[in-house]
Amino acid sequence: MTEDIESRENIESVAPKKAKKGITIEFVKPENFRQVYAIGAAGGHSPYDFRIGFYNDTPKLFGDASESRVIQRRIETEVILSPVAALELSRWLTQHINEYESVFGPIARAIPRPRKESAKLVDESTDLQGYI
């Protein structure tokens, strides 16, 4: 895989006008490369970096279905980014989400489920679909 990157505008304006030289970046996947599918991400930041753990959930039922329900959240991988890399990731994701939605329509956060009358709305986060 290759990607051509053009010089930044501020560098071009300072540099004398010469023939443009392109930079080619070659993407290489090492032998131990693996892809991970995740249903969600969690993490945080410090003054030095951003940490994003990508996870999958597995339901665990104990006894009668009306008793305890546990969801095992398995963190598949963690990515640690510098603040600049986190900002670039945010911009990249926003661009690609906008492109996706322009082709396929808005991304729905969750499939609406009927709620029990006695259920209280605690927050605006979505339910884990198919597990509860």
Side-chain angles (χ1 to χ4, degrees):
M1 247 188 285
T2 62
E3 178 181 344
D4 289 329
I5 299 180
E6 296 179 15
S7 301
R8 296 181 187 201
E9 290 177 10
N10 61 348
I11 294 172
E12 286 180 358
S13 63
V14 174
K17 297 291 180 185
K18 293 183 181 178
K20 284 188 180 182
K21 293 182 181 180
I23 297 174
T24 301
I25 297 176
E26 296 180 357
F27 289 87
V28 178
K29 293 180 183 178
E31 249 181 61
N32 62 350
F33 173 82
R34 69 184 190 115
Q35 290 181 320
V36 175
Y37 181 84
I39 65 165
H45 63 85
S46 73
Y48 311 104
D49 57 38
F50 287 75
R51 294 172 181 255
I52 308 167
F54 295 94
Y55 61 81
N56 284 301
D57 290 341
T58 303
K60 304 283 184 183
L61 297 176
F62 298 101
D64 184 16
S66 63
E67 292 178 15
S68 296
R69 297 179 186 178
V70 174
I71 295 176
Q72 182 182 61
R73 179 157 286 170
R74 179 185 169 112
I75 299 177
E76 303 291 344
T77 190
E78 183 180 51
V79 177
I80 303 169
L81 302 167
S82 69
V84 171
L87 180 61
E88 291 301 317
L89 174 62
S90 171
R91 290 176 179 163
W92 183 88
L93 280 171
T94 299
Q95 174 190 344
H96 286 273
I97 289 169
N98 290 339
E99 289 173 7
Y100 178 95
E101 290 184 327
S102 72
V103 173
F104 301 106
I107 299 170
R109 285 192 68 200
I111 299 168
R113 289 178 25 176
R115 295 210 180 257
K116 296 178 183 175
E117 290 180 34
S118 61
K120 294 179 183 176
L121 184 61
V122 176
D123 61 26
E124 293 188 17
S125 57
T126 57
D127 288 335
L128 296 172
Q129 299 300 311
Y131 296 144
I132 300 176

